[in-house]
Structure formats: C-alpha cells, structure tokens
Amino acid sequence: MFFYLGLWASKIYYRFFEKNKEADRMGIVALKFDDKFLYHIAKPKLVIAVTGTNGKTTTCNILADLFRKEGYRVAFNQDGCNLRPGLSKALILNTSVFGKSQADVAILEFDELSTKDLLAAVKPDYVICTNLFMDTMGRNGHTDYVFNKINEGLPQESTLILNSDDLISSQLGKKNKRIFFSIAQQKNEKSKNISKNCDIKICPNCGNKLVFDFIRYHHIGRAHCPVCSFQNEKAQYVVTDYDDYSMTVNGEKFKLLNNSLFNIYNQLSALVVAKECGLKHIAHSFESMEIVHSRFFNEKIGDVRVVFQMTKGQNPVSLSRAMDYVSNLPGKKNIIIIIDDLFDMRSQERSEVISYIYDTDYECLNKEDIDRVIVAGVRYADYKVRLLLAKIPSEKIVAIKDETKCVDFVQDGVDTVAVVHDIYQYRNADIILRELQQRFGK
C-alpha cells in the first residue's frame, strides 16, 4: 500500500509541481512514503549497474545509446543522480501507475560508496566497475575503503565487467562470474609513464613489493609479484591497436568516440556489456554516436580549435588525465583551468582538502607549444604556486579570481584554446565558450 502511495504521489508531483525536471525530488517523494521503495518497484528483465571512481556517466551514456539504437526502451538516471532518489526516479519514469515496468533494460549509475544498499535493492545482471582511484579525500578517503564498500555489496548473481589493467578494481568479486577488458601496450607507447599517484604498490596477496612491467598512467598497466603468483587477470576483450579514429577489439574495428585513453576505456567497457547482452549492430551504432557535449567539446571556431574537457574536481587522477590530454593537443596552445569545486566551496559542514592540487600532474603543461596557462577561481593563488612548482615559467602563467574574465587573457595567434573545467563550473564554462565564439567566430 505504501509503495503505491509513493509511486502515485511521485508521478503527480513530477507532472504538476516539479520545475527542475533533472532533479531527483520525484524519487525523494516516493521514498517518503516507502523507505524500501527501491526494493519494491518492478525492475526490467535486464539491469546493468555502473560504478567506479571515474567515467561512470560517460559509460552509462554510451550504453544507453547502444541499447536505444537497437530499439530497447531504457530506464536511465541520465541526470547523474546516482543515490536512492535518483535511481528511484529513473525507474518510476518507466513504471506504469499499476506498478508494471515499461522498460526493457535499466542502466543505472551508482555512487561507489552506496553500492551495498543500492545493488541489493536492484539486483543487477551486470555490474561494471570502470576503475578505482584516489578520489575526494574528505568523502572517499582511501581506495581500500571504497573497494571494500563495493565488494561487500556485490550480489553473487551479478556478472562483473572489470578492467584487467586496473590492479585494484580487477580484484573485485572473486566469487562472481567476471569478464575482463584491456588495452594492449601500443607500439609507440612508453613502457613506464610515471605519474605522481600510484594507488597500489604492494601485492594484495602477500604484501611484497609489486614489479611493474608496464605503466600506462598511475596504477593502470601490467604488474606481477616476484614472490607469489599475483598478476593481471587475463582479459577476454582486448584493444590490440587504436588511432585517433578507431580501435580494434578482438579483430573487429569500431569508431572511437574520443581518442583520450580514459574515454577509450569507457567506450570499451560499454562495448563489452553490449557484446555480452547480444546486441547485433554495435559498430554501426558507434558511427552515429558522440560523447555528450557537456563533457567533451571540440570545434573549430574561425581559425582556432576550441576544446572543452570536463573533469572531476578534487580528483587528482581525473585532473591529471585531463591535463595530459589537453597538453598533447596540436599546435600553439593556451590552456584555461577552472576547477574549483563550487559544491564544496558552499558547504557549511566540512572544510575542503586541497592536497589534490599538489597530487595532480601539472608538469605535463610545461611544454614549449603551451604559451599561456590561465587559471581562475577562489584558489587561484594556490594553483599558481603549484604551476610554479611544476617549473612552468611565471611569464606563462595568468592567475585571476574571476573565471568569467579568462578570455581577456587568451593570446592572439594561437592554434588551440583548451578549457579544463570541473563539473560544477559548467555555467562559467558556458560563458567562456560564448566569449570565445564571439572573439574568434568572425
């Protein structure tokens, strides 16, 4: 009875009173009537859960597109609300007033610290863990803490889709059926691309020091223990080679949605699930697909290439990957960095840990073809100190408080302007884009 009251009340609220359709208040209404609502609501025949530190939303978007292009009706928390209210909302929108599921598949992004409750509630057929890295210190603490939270919540009936190159997340769910994916070391790829952060150095089996045979970035790569038998899990799906436009997986070629390594991993994880679920036209579907513009934007404005790369604030791995990507864009460049986490800045309940500023690999921006680095936000002075520690010449650095003034300092004659911005800086990023369009569009 309480379940149906929650279902009907949430639908009425969403239809007549909800002004922000992307919010998760619809789910909150349902949970007010039934705190076990997520357990009680009907699920589609196929449920796919996606969790991990980075890449959850991008992976979910790719998966949702793949299923929709093959005619499936998809329940999906595409607004990024990945706690109980958001998941409840995604299912309610695809449930009839009589409590029957109207979706063929649910693709649900999960907050990694809430998996024990949420996975038990939805009982997914497949669980993707994209990766596990050091994340927001004030909330996530250490990777061991997050790993244990996920591992404790995994239903044994779920099939796990895991990254064999990630020496942490690949250890999840040893009692579950597990399918692994990997990107092989490429011909021209360095054997050891050393990053400031490496979240695993000790063998999880015997405690001896691991030997890394190949490091792609951070702890992503190939390693073994010289004392016991620990090594990377064998991958069933392998990217044997890729270029800027395509990747080859188990001998089959697919269009690349984005040529950054972290997005190749995201696309690969979605491809594996699609293959395991029997989708027939994956390669064709990729041909007409793009990364969501709010997360990646690449467009020629006049004579200037403008690239916007969204990243995850207070996350040194996500930030480092974004910095590495924009540093390797072609031509003479100006880089704009606006990554202050506005959500935490406004919080009255906790103070922010700023160690991530010093854990991020800013050294990659110390290049001859990067003529200017413009950093803005309330902690602009902290970022300037970090850039100086990365040995970027002071004359190349512009540090200001007002994010909306960044374009005033962009140089003439550049080939590329790249903007790295936090998820909560999308309004300022939009202002910067409009100003770049006005300046270079002529």
Side-chain angles (χ1 to χ4, degrees):
M1 181 62 182
F2 290 110
F3 163 75
Y4 282 103
L5 288 174
L7 177 67
W8 298 332
S10 64
K11 284 181 173 291
I12 292 169
Y13 173 82
Y14 186 80
R15 174 68 177 84
F16 295 104
F17 302 104
E18 180 62 271
K19 295 180 181 179
N20 179 10
K21 298 296 185 181
E22 294 183 356
D24 61 0
R25 285 186 289 267
M26 179 188 200
I28 294 174
V29 171
L31 289 162
K32 288 287 186 182
F33 287 87
D34 180 5
D35 62 356
K36 292 289 186 180
F37 184 87
L38 193 56
Y39 285 79
H40 297 152
I41 191 170
K43 318 300 188 303
K45 290 182 179 179
L46 177 61
V47 179
I48 300 167
V50 181
T51 192
T53 305
N54 302 320
K56 297 186 291 292
T57 303
T58 298
T59 301
C60 283
N61 275 303
I62 296 171
L63 268 174
D65 279 353
L66 287 173
F67 276 90
R68 285 168 177 160
K69 287 178 184 295
E70 297 213 16
Y72 288 77
R73 178 165 178 171
V74 179
F76 171 35
N77 53 336
Q78 62 188 28
D79 42 35
C81 299
N82 57 15
L83 297 171
R84 281 201 303 162
L87 272 63
S88 298
K89 172 190 172 184
L91 295 172
I92 293 167
L93 290 174
N94 292 275
T95 300
S96 73
V97 294
F98 302 107
K100 301 294 184 182
S101 176
Q102 297 174 316
D104 303 305
V105 56
I107 297 170
L108 302 173
E109 175 185 331
F110 283 74
D111 171 68
E112 56 270 30
L113 293 183
S114 305
T115 51
K116 188 169 185 178
D117 174 43
L118 300 182
L119 291 179
V122 303
K123 295 182 174 61
D125 300 282
Y126 293 91
V127 177
I128 301 174
C129 184
T130 54
N131 47 61
L132 285 177
F133 291 115
M134 186 68 75
D135 200 359
T136 311
M137 289 287 289
R139 178 175 186 267
N140 292 60
H142 193 269
T143 50
D144 285 349
Y145 173 68
V146 181
F147 177 94
N148 289 331
K149 284 286 187 181
I150 297 174
N151 208 41
E152 291 169 2
L154 291 171
Q156 288 192 18
E157 299 78 14
S158 299
T159 297
L160 307 188
I161 309 296
L162 302 172
N163 183 354
S164 172
D165 300 339
D166 181 350
L167 293 159
I168 298 177
S169 66
S170 61
Q171 301 305 302
L172 287 166
K174 291 187 176 182
K175 294 182 180 179
N176 292 67
K177 178 182 177 182
R178 303 190 298 171
I179 298 169
F180 295 94
F181 58 89
S182 172
I183 301 175
Q185 184 178 2
Q186 303 299 291
K187 291 180 181 179
N188 298 322
E189 193 172 12
K190 292 180 181 179
S191 291
K192 292 188 179 179
N193 187 358
I194 305 299
S195 308
K196 283 191 171 296
N197 288 321
C198 181
D199 292 323
I200 180 170
K201 296 181 180 180
I202 302 300
C203 175
N205 290 345
C206 69
N208 284 285
K209 188 175 181 179
L210 289 174
V211 175
F212 277 86
D213 308 299
F214 163 55
I215 300 175
R216 177 163 280 130
Y217 52 78
H218 307 284
H219 64 263
I220 302 298
R222 313 294 294 178
H224 70 275
C225 176
V227 178
C228 72
S229 60
F230 178 81
Q231 60 183 349
N232 293 74
E233 302 287 347
K234 184 178 179 181
Q236 289 78 37
Y237 292 84
V238 180
V239 175
T240 50
D241 61 83
Y242 65 88
D243 54 29
D244 287 343
Y245 308 101
S246 65
M247 64 177 176
T248 302
V249 183
N250 294 0
E252 188 176 359
K253 185 167 284 190
F254 300 90
K255 172 193 169 184
L256 271 185
L257 306 183
N258 181 273
N259 64 354
S260 60
L261 273 167
F262 48 89
N263 274 324
I264 296 176
Y265 276 117
N266 293 335
Q267 183 176 349
L268 178 58
S269 66
L271 184 153
V272 171
V273 175
K275 283 281 189 182
E276 291 296 314
C277 291
L279 297 193
K280 303 297 184 185
H281 308 292
I282 302 170
H284 178 73
S285 296
F286 279 145
E287 290 297 325
S288 58
M289 199 183 299
E290 293 182 351
I291 297 290
V292 178
H293 275 191
S294 63
R295 295 186 172 267
F296 180 79
F297 175 87
N298 184 345
E299 189 172 291
K300 199 78 177 287
I301 301 177
D303 296 325
V304 179
R305 174 65 59 185
V306 174
V307 176
F308 279 71
Q309 177 65 63
M310 180 184 283
T311 186
K312 192 174 181 182
Q314 301 189 43
N315 182 308
V317 174
S318 178
L319 290 166
S320 294
R321 294 302 92 221
M323 299 303 167
D324 180 72
Y325 180 75
V326 299
S327 73
N328 289 310
L329 292 170
K332 184 179 177 182
K333 296 181 283 293
N334 279 188
I335 310 294
I336 296 173
I337 302 170
I338 52 168
I339 53 177
D340 287 338
D341 191 319
L342 297 183
F343 180 79
D344 258 28
M345 285 165 54
R346 293 167 180 166
S347 173
Q348 301 299 313
E349 299 176 358
R350 60 185 178 189
S351 60
E352 185 185 17
V353 179
I354 65 168
S355 60
Y356 70 91
I357 296 176
Y358 298 91
D359 290 335
T360 299
D361 296 326
Y362 284 106
E363 283 73 12
C364 63
L365 301 181
N366 188 8
K367 298 178 66 175
E368 289 185 4
D369 59 3
I370 298 177
D371 285 353
R372 180 163 289 179
V373 180
I374 303 161
V375 61
V378 295
R379 284 180 296 280
Y380 67 96
D382 289 303
Y383 292 115
K384 182 174 183 179
V385 169
R386 177 65 185 91
L387 294 173
L388 291 170
L389 288 172
K391 298 183 179 180
I392 298 172
S394 60
E395 61 270 19
K396 285 189 175 185
I397 302 171
V398 174
I400 57 175
K401 187 173 183 179
D402 189 348
E403 296 94 338
T404 64
K405 302 296 183 184
C406 288
V407 178
D408 296 345
F409 298 93
V410 172
Q411 296 170 306
D412 292 322
V414 294
D415 301 302
T416 301
V417 176
V419 181
V420 179
H421 65 97
D422 176 80
I423 189 171
Y424 295 107
Q425 287 276 10
Y426 64 91
R427 289 191 178 90
N428 286 328
D430 190 54
I431 291 170
I432 290 171
L433 175 58
R434 291 200 302 269
E435 291 184 354
L436 288 170
Q437 289 171 332
Q438 185 175 5
R439 175 166 170 180
F440 296 118
K442 61 185 178 182

